[in-house]
Amino acid sequence: MKKVMTLAAAGMIALSAPAFAGAYGDAVVEEEVVVVEEAGSSIGNTGLALLGLAVVAGIIAASDDSTDESE
């Protein structure tokens, strides 16, 4: 009978141990880190746009010359 009681007590302790694992505490919510990158100046983008415009203007000017010869 002692063995049965000892095994029963050991079984109850083994099964109830995970229920008490850790302590109850309030949930810790950490704030999300937000990185804001400021936009650069638009002058850097303007140079590229002007270069593209110059290329397009050059293509149009070159195509106008070829149409004058056919007349």
Side-chain angles (χ1 to χ4, degrees):
M1 185 73 170
K2 274 187 170 180
K3 287 184 181 181
V4 172
M5 291 299 286
T6 304
L7 290 174
M12 289 176 61
I13 290 172
L15 292 175
S16 66
F20 296 109
Y24 176 76
D26 292 333
V28 177
V29 179
E30 297 180 11
E31 291 186 24
E32 186 174 331
V33 177
V34 178
V35 177
V36 177
E37 295 182 14
E38 293 185 19
S41 66
S42 62
I43 294 174
N45 295 335
T46 305
L48 187 59
L50 290 175
L51 180 65
L53 184 62
V55 169
V56 170
I59 293 172
I60 292 173
S63 69
D64 282 344
D65 290 338
S66 64
T67 57
D68 289 339
E69 292 176 12
S70 64
E71 288 181 19

